[in-house]
C-alpha cells in the first residue's frame, strides 16, 4: 500500500496527468470551436499549412521534418496549434540574450588559450577540428594535460573519491542523474566534510534526469548541509518546448586542476553496485593540467546562466600547472541546443570523415540522423574499418528497437556492428586511426545531438587513445556480431513496429 501511494502521488504522475489534461482540453476546444465556427476551422487549417511550410523551409534535420509533417498533415485542424505549442523551436528572446551573453563571456575568458594553429604540424585534420571547436564552441585545445581513461565506472569511482579528498578550494559537480546509494552517498560524505572545512562546493543537477531519483526539495536539503545547489530547468506541468532541453552533462571538477567526464551519472548501476540491465559498462576520462580550466569555465557559465549571476571567473583560475612531458592535445568541448550549432554532431562527423584506417564507436543508442548514417556508410564503402558496439540488453525497449531498425543500411554498406552480451553499454566513445578520440556524454541519438546540453573531450595523439582502442578490442571479445541475415525474414509486424518507431524517433 505504501509503495502504491508513493507511485500515485509521485510528481511524475502529476506531471503526466497535467500534460494529458492540457492536451485533451486543447483537442476538445479545437474540435468544438471548429464545428461551430467556420472562421476558427479555417484559421486552424491555415496555421497547419503555415507550420508545414515553416518546417519544410527550416534548418531542422530531415528526420524531424518528416516526423512533424506526419503528425500535422493527417490532423490539420489540431496539428498546427500543437506544433506551435511544443515543436516550433523558437527560443524566447530573453533566453537567447542570456545564452548569447554566456557564450560571449566564455569566449572572452578562454580566448587567450586558443591555439588551434599550433596543431598544424600534426596535419590539417587535427588543426581543422581544433579550429572548429575554438571558433564555434569557444573551446580551446591544450597541451600540458595528462589524461587517464577508465574503461569501467567501477574503476573510476575510487579515483573520484581520492581526488575529491584532495580538494582545497572548490568542488564543482554537474550531472544529469544523481541517486542516493553507495556511489552518491560516498561522494556526499566528502562534500559535506569539505564544505565544513571551507571548500566551496557547488552541485548542479537536471530536474528531469532526477525526477525518479531525488525529491523535489533535494536542492534545499543540500543547501542546509552547506552545499550550494542549483536545479536545471525545473519541470513544470505545462506543455512547452523547454521540456526537451535537458542538461545531460557529467562534470566533476576539483580546484580547476583535475576534471572528470564521460558517460557516468552518480548512481549505483554505473559502478555495478546495483544490477538493472546486466553488467553496466561505462567509461570516464580524467584530465589533470591546463585543460581543466576550460571545463571549469563550462561549469561556471552554466551555473551563472541558471542562477542569473555574472561572476568574475578569473578568481577560480588555478596557477599554471607543472610542465609535463608531451601529453598530446586535449580539447574539452560543450554543446548547447540554443545556438543552432550542433557541436557534438560536428565532432563526430569530422572524425568519421578524416578516418583513413578505422573508426571504433561505442554507443548505448543508435538513433542516427541522415548525415551521420551517410558518413558511416561512405567511410565503410571507402575501405575504412568501421565498427560499432551497442547493447544486447536494453535500458529502454522502444529505443532498442529503433537502434536495431538502423542496422540494415549500415550492415549493407560494410559497417560491422556488435552487441555487448553481458548487459548494457553506456559509454559514448569514438577512436580513429590511433590518432584521435573523444570521450563524453553525447549519444548517437537526436536528443543528444540536437536537444540536450552536452560535453566531451576531443583528444589528438594523447597517450590514452591507445587505452581507448584496447578497451574497444577487449570489449569485442564479449560481443556478438550482428549479421544482416537476421533482418532478412523479420516478422512483418515487428518490421512495421520498428519502422513506425524510426519515423517518430526524433520526437521521442
Amino acid at each position: 500500500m505504501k509503495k502504491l501511494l508513493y507511485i500515485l502521488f509521485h510528481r511524475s504522475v502529476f506531471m503526466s496527468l497535467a500534460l494529458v489534461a492540457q492536451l485533451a482540453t486543447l483537442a476538445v476546444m479545437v474540435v468544438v470551436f471548429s464545428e461551430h465556427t467556420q472562421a476558427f476551422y479555417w484559421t486552424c487549417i491555415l496555421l497547419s499549412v503555415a507550420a508545414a511550410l515553416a518546417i519544410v523551409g527550416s534548418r531542422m534535420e530531415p528526420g524531424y521534418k518528416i516526423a512533424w509533417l506526419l503528425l500535422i498533415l493527417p490532423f490539420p485542424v489540431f496539428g498546427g496549434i500543437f506544433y506551435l505549442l511544443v515543436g516550433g523551436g523558437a527560443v524566447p528572446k530573453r533566453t537567447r540574450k542570456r545564452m548569447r551573453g554566456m557564450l560571449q563571456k566564455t569566449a572572452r575568458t578562454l580566448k587567450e588559450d586558443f591555439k588551434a594553429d599550433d596543431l598544424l604540424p600534426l596535419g590539417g585534420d587535427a588543426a581543422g577540428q581544433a579550429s572548429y571547436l575554438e571558433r564555434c564552441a569557444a573551446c580551446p585545445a591544450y597541451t600540458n594535460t595528462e589524461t587517464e581513461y577508465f574503461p569501467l565506472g567501477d574503476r573510476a569511482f575510487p579515483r573520484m573519491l581520492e581526488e575529491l579528498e584532495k580538494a582545497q578550494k572548490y568542488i564543482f559537480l554537474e550531472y544529469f542523474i544523481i541517486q542516493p546509494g553507495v556511489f552518491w552517498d560516498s561522494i556526499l560524505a566528502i562534500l559535506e566534510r569539505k564544505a565544513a572545512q571551507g571548500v566551496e562546493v557547488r552541485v548542479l543537477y537536471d530536474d528531469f534526469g532526477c525526477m525518479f531519483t531525488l525529491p523535489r526539495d533535494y536542492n534545499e536539503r543540500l543547501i542546509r548541509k552547506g552545499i550550494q545547489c542549483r536545479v536545471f530547468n525545473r519541470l513544470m506541468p505545462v506543455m512547452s518546448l523547454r521540456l526537451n532541453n535537458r542538461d545531460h552533462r557529467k562534470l566533476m571538477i576539483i580546484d580547476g586542476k583535475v576534471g572528470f567526464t564521460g558517460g557516468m551519472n552518480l548512481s549505483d548501476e554505473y559502478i555495478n553496485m546495483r544490477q538493472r540491465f546486466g553488467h553496466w559498462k561505462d567509461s570516464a576520462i580524467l584530465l589533470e593540467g591546463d585543460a581543466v580550466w576550460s571545463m571549469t569555465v563550462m561549469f561556471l557559465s552554466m551555473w551563472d546562466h541558471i542562477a542569473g549571476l555574472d561572476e568574475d571567473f578569473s578568481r577560480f583560475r588555478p596557477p599554471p600547472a607543472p610542465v609535463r612531458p608531451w601529453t598530446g592535445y586535449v580539447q574539452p568541448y560543450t554543446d548547447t541546443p540554443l545556438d543552432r550549432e550542433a557541436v557534438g554532431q560536428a565532432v563526430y562527423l569530422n572524425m568519421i570523415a578524416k578516418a583513413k584506417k578505422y573508426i571504433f564507436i561505442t554507443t548505448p543508442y543508435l538513433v542516427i540522423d541522415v548525415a551521420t548514417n551517410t558518413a558511416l556508410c561512405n567511410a565503410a564503402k571507402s575501405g575504412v574499418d568501421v565498427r560499432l558496439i551497442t547493447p544486447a540488453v536494453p535500458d529502454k525497449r522502444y529505443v532498442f528497437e529503433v537502434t536495431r531498425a538502423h542496422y540494415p543500411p549500415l550492415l549493407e554498406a560494410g559497417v560491422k556492428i556488435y552487441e555487448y552480451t553481458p548487459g548494457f553499454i553506456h559509454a559514448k566513445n569514438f577512436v580513429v586511426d590511433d590518432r584521435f578520440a573523444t570521450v563524453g556524454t553525447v549519444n548517437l541519438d537526436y536528443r543528444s545531438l540536437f536537444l540536450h546540453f552536452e560535453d566531451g573531450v576531443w583528444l589528438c595523439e594523447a597517450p590514452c587513445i591507445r587505452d581507448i582502442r584496447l578497451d574497444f578490442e577487449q570489449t569485442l571479445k564479449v560481443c556478438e556480431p550482428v549479421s544482416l541475415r537476421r533482418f532478412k525474414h523479420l516478422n512483418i509486424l515487428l518490421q512495421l513496429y520498428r519502422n513506425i518507431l524510426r519515423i517518430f524517433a526524433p520526437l521521442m
Side-chain angles (χ1 to χ4, degrees):
M1 178 59 70
K2 222 173 157 183
K3 189 173 181 181
L4 179 62
L5 289 173
Y6 173 79
I7 293 171
L8 288 175
F9 290 98
H10 194 273
R11 62 177 175 139
S12 63
V13 175
F14 173 71
M15 280 279 299
S16 300
L17 291 174
L19 292 173
V20 169
Q22 290 172 64
L23 193 60
T25 302
L26 178 64
V28 170
M29 286 175 60
V30 169
V31 170
V32 170
F33 276 104
S34 297
E35 288 178 350
H36 292 88
T37 310
Q38 196 83 358
F40 182 80
Y41 173 82
W42 286 108
T43 299
C44 290
I45 296 292
L46 288 173
L47 278 176
S48 292
V49 171
L53 292 173
I55 290 167
V56 170
S58 73
R59 295 169 58 186
M60 287 183 186
E61 289 298 308
Y64 276 116
K65 293 183 179 183
I66 293 170
W68 271 114
L69 288 173
L70 284 176
L71 280 179
I72 292 172
L73 296 179
F75 310 101
V77 177
F78 176 74
I81 294 175
F82 184 64
Y83 173 75
L84 292 174
L85 281 173
V86 300
V91 179
K93 186 176 180 181
R94 183 182 175 190
T95 303
R96 282 202 312 271
K97 185 177 179 181
R98 286 177 62 194
M99 180 56 64
R100 199 160 45 240
M102 172 179 156
L103 294 173
Q104 289 170 351
K105 185 174 181 181
T106 298
R108 287 195 304 271
T109 303
L110 295 174
K111 191 166 182 61
E112 64 183 70
D113 294 345
F114 287 6
K115 60 177 70 167
D117 289 348
D118 291 359
L119 278 76
L120 285 171
L122 302 180
D125 294 351
Q129 179 76 293
S131 178
Y132 168 79
L133 288 173
E134 285 186 353
R135 288 188 293 137
C136 296
C139 297
Y142 293 86
T143 52
N144 201 41
T145 303
E146 292 180 6
T147 52
E148 183 176 354
Y149 172 74
F150 298 93
L152 285 173
D154 319 34
R155 298 187 191 178
F157 171 47
R159 187 61 183 278
M160 286 176 165
L161 298 183
E162 178 186 334
E163 295 298 333
L164 286 169
E165 291 283 9
K166 298 176 185 176
Q168 296 179 340
K169 294 183 178 179
Y170 59 83
I171 297 170
F172 296 156
L173 303 182
E174 180 179 350
Y175 282 87
F176 182 60
I177 297 173
I178 294 176
Q179 182 171 24
V182 175
F183 195 179
W184 173 241
D185 292 350
S186 302
I187 289 174
L188 182 58
I190 298 174
L191 299 185
E192 289 186 62
R193 191 168 62 254
K194 288 294 180 180
Q197 294 170 2
V199 173
E200 184 171 351
V201 181
R202 299 185 184 186
V203 175
L204 174 59
Y205 64 85
D206 184 89
D207 202 34
F208 183 87
C210 297
M211 180 167 58
F212 295 101
T213 62
L214 296 178
R216 184 174 173 80
D217 66 343
Y218 193 73
N219 60 314
E220 296 170 10
R221 300 185 190 186
L222 291 185
I223 290 170
R224 288 195 291 270
K225 295 175 183 289
I227 297 169
Q228 298 180 56
C229 186
R230 293 287 186 274
V231 183
F232 180 87
N233 202 357
R234 273 287 192 195
L235 285 172
M236 303 296 289
V238 178
M239 284 193 298
S240 167
L241 184 67
R242 290 179 68 252
L243 289 171
N244 279 325
N245 301 138
R246 310 312 318 176
D247 184 0
H248 195 242
R249 298 176 186 175
K250 288 96 179 172
L251 293 171
M252 176 181 289
I253 301 158
I254 298 104
D255 292 341
K257 298 177 180 179
V258 172
F260 290 86
T261 193
M264 296 172 59
N265 285 297
L266 304 182
S267 182
D268 281 357
E269 62 265 33
Y270 293 85
I271 57 172
N272 287 293
M273 296 297 292
R274 180 167 67 121
Q275 293 290 318
R276 292 186 66 200
F277 311 105
H279 183 265
W280 191 291
K281 178 169 171 54
D282 216 324
S283 64
I285 188 168
L286 176 150
L287 277 58
E288 184 172 5
D290 293 345
V292 182
W293 171 235
S294 181
M295 298 173 79
T296 307
V297 173
M298 287 179 199
F299 175 89
L300 290 170
S301 296
M302 180 64 84
W303 182 275
D304 282 12
H305 175 64
I306 295 169
L309 301 176
D310 186 14
E311 296 181 283
D312 178 10
F313 291 174
S314 64
R315 73 183 182 91
F316 297 98
R317 182 153 199 170
V323 177
R324 295 171 166 82
W326 173 246
T327 60
Y329 282 94
V330 181
Q331 194 164 15
Y333 61 90
T334 184
D335 194 4
T336 165
L338 304 182
D339 64 355
R340 297 188 179 275
E341 184 66 41
V343 173
Q345 181 199 39
V347 169
Y348 287 166
L349 290 177
N350 285 341
M351 293 180 73
I352 295 168
K354 305 304 182 187
K356 295 176 176 61
K357 298 177 182 176
Y358 74 82
I359 306 164
F360 293 165
I361 300 169
T362 56
T363 180
Y365 315 117
L366 190 64
V367 188
I368 49 178
D369 58 289
V370 174
T372 306
N373 181 83
T374 302
L376 289 169
C377 289
N378 286 345
K381 290 174 182 177
S382 300
V384 178
D385 182 8
V386 184
R387 304 188 191 193
L388 286 80
I389 297 179
T390 61
V393 179
D395 67 333
K396 303 178 186 71
R397 189 73 208 186
Y398 70 91
V399 180
F400 186 59
E401 295 299 341
V402 180
T403 290
R404 285 184 160 178
H406 281 84
Y407 287 174
L410 294 170
L411 293 168
E412 288 170 0
V415 176
K416 302 179 184 72
I417 301 175
Y418 305 82
E419 292 184 341
Y420 180 68
T421 55
F424 185 68
I425 187 164
H426 193 252
K428 308 99 165 44
N429 301 339
F430 272 54
V431 60
V432 172
D433 294 349
D434 284 353
R435 291 195 66 212
F436 309 117
T438 183
V439 178
T441 69
V442 187
N443 294 315
L444 278 174
D445 65 12
Y446 283 83
R447 290 205 156 273
S448 269
L449 294 174
F450 307 114
L451 296 177
H452 288 170
F453 291 81
E454 304 280 357
D455 80 272
V457 177
W458 179 72
L459 304 156
C460 175
E461 301 199 355
C464 75
I465 292 174
R466 178 177 176 274
D467 299 328
I468 300 171
R469 175 178 58 80
L470 289 175
D471 176 40
F472 186 94
E473 292 171 346
Q474 288 296 114
T475 304
L476 280 181
K477 295 177 181 178
V478 291
C479 291
E480 180 183 347
V482 178
S483 168
L484 188 59
R485 288 195 304 274
R486 184 195 297 183
F487 300 90
K488 293 292 185 184
H489 305 288
L490 272 184
N491 179 294
I492 191 167
L493 291 178
L494 177 59
Q495 193 169 355
L496 178 64
Y497 173 62
R498 286 181 178 175
N499 287 340
I500 292 171
L501 285 178
R502 183 172 178 178
I503 289 170
F504 292 106
L507 306 182
M508 293 178 181

